[in-house]
Amino acid sequence: MTEDKDVEQRHAALASQSRRAVLDLLADSHEMLDAAAIAVGIGLHVTTVRFHLEQLENAGLVRRELSHGGRRGRPRVLFGISAAARSDEGHRQLAEVLADALSSDPDGGATRATAAGERWADVSAA
């Protein structure tokens, strides 16, 4: 049951275009980034980025690390893409391409998406 919940949480996290943009930026970065750098990189307000980072972290797609940098005071919070997100990268790209293709349908892809989901349920049940 927890595996199903993890998958649902991951899918819900990836349903947001903004969260996918955060993941793409982190995947392309050679270093961990703070929320302010991510906000600049994807053009969103830092508070909005923090919300998306929390959702991605809860889904296991992003990891956080504290950096004290040899200074006193509050540590800097850095974010990076998790190993789980890297392993899901191919599936995510495929899902994104398929979703884009479906959204070009006059009904936004609802008919074909429902039919595909029903076929998938039939195959999964077998």
Side-chain angles (χ1 to χ4, degrees):
M1 181 79 167
T2 62
E3 186 175 323
D4 289 340
K5 184 174 169 105
D6 290 344
V7 170
E8 280 182 32
Q9 195 170 20
R10 209 175 266 170
H11 288 175
L14 292 173
S16 164
Q17 183 177 356
S18 295
R19 286 192 281 273
R20 289 192 311 270
V22 169
L23 277 179
D24 288 343
L25 182 68
L26 290 173
D28 292 342
S29 177
H30 298 291
E31 59 188 11
M32 294 183 76
L33 302 172
D34 64 12
I38 296 168
V40 169
I42 63 172
L44 289 177
H45 191 276
V46 69
T47 303
T48 304
V49 167
R50 285 188 185 112
F51 168 78
H52 290 308
L53 285 165
E54 182 178 334
Q55 300 301 311
L56 291 166
E57 185 178 18
N58 290 340
L61 298 169
V62 164
R63 61 187 172 85
R64 95 176 33 214
E65 188 176 293
L66 299 179
S67 171
H68 294 279
R71 298 178 297 199
R72 292 187 306 172
R74 185 179 296 181
R76 189 169 166 221
V77 181
L78 301 174
F79 297 90
I81 194 164
S82 71
R86 288 197 190 283
S87 68
D88 285 346
E89 185 68 16
H91 290 105
R92 187 190 62 75
Q93 288 175 351
L94 175 60
E96 195 171 294
V97 168
L98 292 173
D100 285 345
L102 287 174
S103 68
S104 67
D105 286 353
D107 66 351
T111 303
R112 288 197 303 162
T114 300
E118 290 169 349
R119 284 194 305 270
W120 185 34
D122 290 343
V123 169
S124 297

